[in-house]
Amino acid sequence: MRVQHNISLKKYNTFGLDVAAKHFVSVATVDQLLDVLKLDNYQDKFILGGGSNMLLTKDIDALVIHINLKGISIEKETDTHVYVKANAGENWHEFVLWTLNNNFGGLENMSLIPGNVGTSPIQNIGAYGVELKDNFVSCEALNLSTLKLDSFNKEACEFGYRNSIFKNQAKGKYIITSVVFKLTKKKHNLQTNYGAIQSQLEIMGVVHPTIKEVSKAVIAIRQSKLPNPKEIGNSGSFFKNPIISLEEFEKLKENFPTIPSYKVSGKKIKIPAGWLIETAGFKGKTFGNYGVHKNQALVLVNYGGAKGEDIVNLSKLIQKTIYRIFKISIEAEVNII
Ligand code: EPU
């Protein structure tokens, strides 16, 4: 464990933005993390996980603590289920592959989501009809004021759509160090009703899919729509899908009869922001070295060398345009720093 100075964070954020950390340290154990937090010559500290949900607009004038806690273990097992604990620094997709190789079911629909295990509960990651909370048991988090580990069960996490207590009351107060998932050992509960998965399985000629085949289908869909951050800098969906009232929706439908929608509850409707952005004419638009992805309008991309500030300005232009056309406010899902 060594504190370095003036380190580029380019390889630590999936947008590939070249900003500098004034000080940087990578921690591999909770004890190392505690030691670093006790260092009093660094007043400001900044926690970095997988760097997959942040847009860095400026150099970080703080001690950046890279959470690199590795390890996966089986906590307990029953005849039908297994409780698996993964440490925060495990790469999410590699962890999903580990569960699939052990024939543990539950996470297959969330294959290939960028980021690390430790940040997955913060925004309750989700894809293709499954959210983190569906398999979540608990997480351990270091309380930054007591420097003790606290445990959060599912209820305590207050999960919502791309939301949790860690984005609200607990924001900035904890560092998640590990997460426990409850997964199936047999009679896997396959979720293949999300349209794209069904059609992909058909293309693959699979009638009775295994969890690995569902994962393969999800990987194929994601690869066809979403840019690989290793090739083109991005943070997945830049915006959340807005939720509007049934009344607003009925009004919009008069002018935009093809507007897609999902019912959230009796009176609330979710609109795909990707459709709003595409309809507003932004899909595939490039502005020099950054732009809106050509296959999924919800994803903003850095083709190389863009500044975080450019991407923020583009996101503001998109928000303003969407509001002007549809009177809908869309909110960034990515944290702008
Ligand atoms: N659509 C368009 N144009 C686009 C993109 C989408 O018209 O360019 C419309 C289409 O009508 C499409 C619908 O949006 O049928 C839904 O698109 P998609 O299935 O791609 O899902 P999404 O709502 O755009 C959400 C998540 C993704 C997740 C997918 C699949 C959010 C903010 N995003 O996107 O999550 O992979 O569903 O479950 O909820 C992420 O959070 O980083 C992410 C990639």
Side-chain angles (χ1 to χ4, degrees), residues 52-53 109 113-114 123 125-130 161-162 194 196 221-222 225-226 234-242 258-262 270-279 283 292-299 333-334:
S52 65
N53 205 37
N109 292 39
I113 294 185
Q123 56 154 342
I125 59 170
Y128 306 103
V130 176
Y161 166 59
R162 293 294 192 278
Y194 200 94
I221 302 164
R222 290 188 75 100
K225 281 193 172 188
L226 299 167
N234 76 90
S235 248
S237 303
F238 193 92
F239 300 101
K240 289 193 203 183
N241 287 329
T258 59
I259 188 167
S261 61
Y262 312 98
K270 198 190 261 181
I271 308 290
W275 183 89
L276 299 172
I277 300 168
E278 180 173 346
T279 308
K283 190 172 184 171
V292 179
H293 190 54
K294 63 180 192 324
N295 298 335
Q296 165 51 292
L298 203 46
V299 179
E333 188 207 284
V334 168

Side-chain angles (χ1 to χ4, degrees), residues 10 14-18 55 225-235 282-297 299-308 310-311 314:
K10 193 168 174 200
T14 59
F15 252 122
L17 295 163
D18 193 8
L55 180 71
K225 281 193 172 188
L226 299 167
N228 178 349
K230 288 196 179 118
E231 289 158 15
I232 303 176
N234 76 90
S235 248
F282 283 105
K283 190 172 184 171
K285 274 233 162 141
T286 52
F287 302 80
N289 48 8
Y290 61 97
V292 179
H293 190 54
K294 63 180 192 324
N295 298 335
Q296 165 51 292
V299 179
L300 304 189
V301 290
N302 169 15
Y303 292 108
K307 295 258 168 290
D310 297 335
I311 296 170
L314 171 60

